[in-house]
Amino acid sequence: MVGTEQRTRARRARTAAALLTVTGLFAAGCTGHGTPVPADDGRGQLHTERPGSSPPDTARPSAKADGPSVLAVKIDNVREARPQTGLDSADVVYAEQVEGGLSRLMAVYATKLPKAVGPVRSARESDLELLRQFDDPTLAFSGAQGKLMPLINRAPLDARTPEKASDAYFRGAGKVVPHNLYLRPKRLVPVTPGAAALTNGFRYGPAPAGGTADTSETVRYPAARFAFTWSQSRKRWLVSMDGAPDVTADGKRLAPATVVVQYVKVRKSAFHDFLGNNTPYTVTVGSGKAKVLRDGRAYDVNWKRAKATDGTEFTTRDGSPMNFAEGQVWVVFAKAS
């Protein structure tokens, strides 16, 4: 009980520090215009301290007082990064739009930790809001835009880059930098967190009444495309990326049991890449519409997440909870019209 109270106080202190940091950055006009920032080269460069900046938060305990929390890994999703490793072991895979209209994935692990995951790439501002639904998650990523790192360091999560945990990362063969950085998950999270760590609000169970027969859905970003095709024999949705079947490094077809196309606001963030492209900010707190694919049917539902520390509720048109099929879930964030 004492450990829980201590962690609660620590989280409140970190949250307050993060808010002060955000305020300071915006007051200083931190937009990135005209200021070159380092490229995300996948080498784990930790762009943290700047002259006059505060040191990273070192008070956060490395062990979770109430047991281990989830491991979230930022995964490269351009053509050069495929096939990916360990993605089929994730409980949840989130897909978001990044600079240039491309996509990036965040894989969340709770019930199974594979031997390796990757390629690992950099974090984005949206990740901090998305991860608040989990209790002190561990975030594995290769680095971040320099002005974003102070926010990550003060967020209520355990940020683990190659600089902070060099023994957990390695370079793989067959791909070139920056698409060849991989993670050994058990060196960051020795104990498998378990299903109880998935505090994202998802419900699993029998399919609700209604829905429409649907065997194929496509989600398009400006420079990326996801397609999901129902396989009656496997009872899964087969994933394709940019027109090609998506498989893991060991040849397994990626095939979630449930796919959620969640329509959200996508706005400009305060950050830019080294080419000057603005980083899109995917807003995951609020409410809106979604399409849930399961069992070869599509359900038009509503989603709601009142605050960042809440999970996301999905409900049918009559207000009943929307159950997901047992197995991996993909959530693809699409821009609401």
Side-chain angles (χ1 to χ4, degrees):
M1 187 67 179
V2 174
T4 301
E5 293 175 353
Q6 290 175 338
R7 186 176 64 176
T8 299
R9 288 196 295 270
R11 289 187 65 183
R12 288 174 178 170
R14 290 194 300 273
T15 301
L19 290 174
L20 289 174
T21 304
V22 174
T23 302
L25 287 173
F26 280 92
C30 173
T31 63
H33 287 296
T35 304
V37 297
D40 169 20
D41 62 2
R43 289 178 290 185
Q45 294 180 341
L46 186 59
H47 307 298
T48 53
E49 299 313 306
R50 301 166 61 87
S53 66
S54 300
D57 175 14
T58 57
R60 181 183 348 95
S62 58
K64 313 300 188 294
D66 292 335
S69 188
V70 300
L71 170 66
V73 186
K74 290 308 298 287
I75 296 182
D76 201 351
N77 197 40
V78 296
R79 292 178 188 271
E80 295 82 358
R82 303 176 199 142
Q84 292 124 333
T85 299
L87 197 56
D88 55 323
S89 296
D91 293 277
V92 184
V93 177
Y94 293 100
E96 65 178 343
Q97 183 181 327
V98 293
E99 300 86 358
L102 295 169
S103 65
R104 188 155 295 179
L105 307 177
M106 179 190 286
V108 177
Y109 298 87
T111 62
K112 183 179 180 181
L113 295 175
K115 292 183 179 180
V117 174
V120 180
R121 286 301 294 270
S122 60
R124 294 295 184 271
E125 185 185 10
S126 303
D127 301 335
L128 304 184
E129 179 177 279
L130 183 61
L131 286 171
R132 285 294 306 280
Q133 62 193 310
F134 301 108
D135 189 13
D136 281 335
T138 297
L139 174 62
F141 61 110
S142 66
Q145 203 262 20
K147 295 179 180 179
L148 175 59
M149 280 306 306
L151 274 69
I152 296 175
N153 285 332
R154 289 162 177 79
L157 53 81
D158 189 5
R160 308 296 283 173
T161 63
E163 282 199 2
K164 287 187 175 182
S166 59
D167 66 329
Y169 291 89
F170 67 96
R171 290 288 177 185
K175 295 186 177 73
V176 298
V177 173
H179 312 293
N180 64 350
L181 181 67
Y182 293 85
L183 172 74
R184 297 181 180 93
K186 291 186 178 180
R187 295 194 179 184
L188 292 187
V189 184
V191 178
T192 303
L198 291 169
T199 54
N200 48 11
F202 296 174
R203 295 171 59 100
Y204 301 84
T212 57
D214 193 348
T215 58
S216 181
E217 286 287 342
T218 299
V219 180
R220 291 179 173 84
Y221 291 171
R225 176 161 49 104
F226 297 87
F228 303 94
T229 304
W230 175 248
S231 169
Q232 184 63 33
S233 61
R234 295 189 57 181
K235 306 296 184 184
R236 291 289 186 271
W237 295 89
L238 305 182
V239 182
S240 295
M241 300 279 197
D242 301 324
D246 204 6
V247 298
T248 61
D250 55 2
K252 295 180 181 178
R253 187 76 183 268
L254 289 170
T258 304
V259 177
V260 181
V261 182
Q262 186 174 342
Y263 297 100
V264 298
K265 294 179 181 178
V266 179
R267 60 170 175 80
K268 290 183 177 180
S269 75
F271 303 96
H272 297 71
D273 67 10
F274 73 105
L275 295 174
N277 297 313
N278 184 265
T279 302
Y281 187 102
T282 301
V283 181
T284 56
V285 172
S287 60
K289 303 294 184 181
K291 180 175 287 189
V292 175
L293 309 178
R294 61 163 295 176
D295 304 327
R297 301 186 72 79
Y299 299 83
D300 293 321
V301 303
N302 299 310
W303 69 268
K304 181 180 180 181
R305 186 178 174 207
K307 56 184 184 295
T309 52
D310 291 342
T312 305
E313 298 178 5
F314 293 91
T315 55
T316 61
R317 289 177 176 175
D318 65 2
S320 301
M322 176 68 213
N323 290 333
F324 295 170
E326 292 288 345
Q328 187 180 74
V329 177
W330 277 55
V331 180
V332 182
F333 294 118
K335 187 175 182 178
S337 57

